[in-house]
Amino acid sequence: MKKRVPIAAALLLACLLAAGGCGETTDTPQTQGETVPQVVSADWEPVSTANSGQEEACFALSPEEFLRRYNALCQGGEEECLPALDQWMDYGVGQAAYASGAAGHQYTAPTEADFYAGPLLALCTAEEGGQVIEVVTGLSQKNYGASSGDPFQTMTFRVLQAFWPDLDQEGFDQLYEELFAGGTYAEAGQEVLPVRVFHQEGAACYATLQIGEYDQIHVRAVSQEQLDWWQSVGVEVVQGIPGLPEGQ
């Protein structure tokens, strides 16, 4: 597997100086090193979608069940299991925890004090009912080495398998490549849009890139209205999620 981490900050700066903004497409961020490890077999069904008490799209998944699934996948791995949600940083209702995501009750997982610029893991839940609307993983642009890219990919793989248990390493590789392929970095302060959106059965998966923000992968419960809006502003919206077995 060829892993990806974002291009170096110096390259971004050179691009901005030469063209007044980094408008050229980039390859999926370069990676190196060991492959993402295989995980233990998941014993749950793929997540379905529902509506919250305010009729917003959400997953039929509580934060507690997400944490149970994620931590089950960590067994035997090197990364730490996730603590209970009451130990996460609580941002309240809004869009303050990360860029370009759903508006709901947002939380971010605590990070290791000695892990500089470690990966982001965030949850967004519905105001009523507390069901999961979105899970976001992010790779900090403050650290472009493989040491940050490896945990980011491992974390993202765990998150995706919590939603789609039959996703294997080959499928993850394919999805990861296609999420970032041809993506460009939005400038700081601009509205950031997905590189492209893959969706099926009410679930969307997409990546976002913006200078000064985490490089993010989102798994989000999504309405047809949201998909139509993305299309109306020029985002490519694709039926089906690459790498998933048929029927998932």
Side-chain angles (χ1 to χ4, degrees), residues 134-234:
E134 179 176 45
V135 180
V136 179
T137 60
L139 177 62
S140 174
Q141 295 175 14
K142 297 177 181 177
N143 189 332
Y144 290 93
S147 61
S148 62
D150 292 349
F152 168 65
Q153 289 208 20
T154 299
M155 176 182 286
T156 302
F157 194 14
R158 306 293 193 221
V159 166
L160 293 171
Q161 281 213 319
F163 285 86
W164 298 292
D166 291 334
L167 179 69
D168 60 16
Q169 182 175 318
E170 182 179 359
F172 172 77
D173 294 346
Q174 179 187 355
L175 175 57
Y176 189 86
E177 291 281 343
E178 295 195 32
L179 285 170
F180 287 106
T184 60
Y185 281 83
E187 295 188 23
Q190 287 184 335
E191 180 180 20
V192 60
L193 295 171
V195 175
R196 65 184 52 79
V197 176
F198 297 105
H199 73 98
Q200 65 184 48
E201 298 181 357
C205 188
Y206 61 92
T208 58
L209 296 169
Q210 185 174 32
I211 296 170
E213 295 286 346
Y214 285 90
D215 293 357
Q216 298 174 11
I217 292 178
H218 299 243
V219 180
R220 177 176 175 177
V222 68
S223 65
Q224 186 60 48
E225 181 181 7
Q226 179 65 52
L227 293 172
D228 291 344
W229 183 83
W230 275 325
Q231 282 190 309
S232 74
V233 295

Side-chain angles (χ1 to χ4, degrees), residues 64-103:
E64 293 75 19
E65 176 61 15
F66 169 76
L67 292 173
R68 184 191 76 80
R69 295 182 180 196
Y70 186 98
N71 288 339
L73 294 167
C74 290
Q75 301 304 314
E78 295 182 359
E79 74 273 22
E80 294 290 329
C81 290
L82 296 173
L85 193 63
D86 61 8
Q87 298 181 48
W88 291 39
M89 182 173 291
D90 186 344
Y91 282 82
V93 176
Q95 294 179 304
Y98 53 87
S100 189

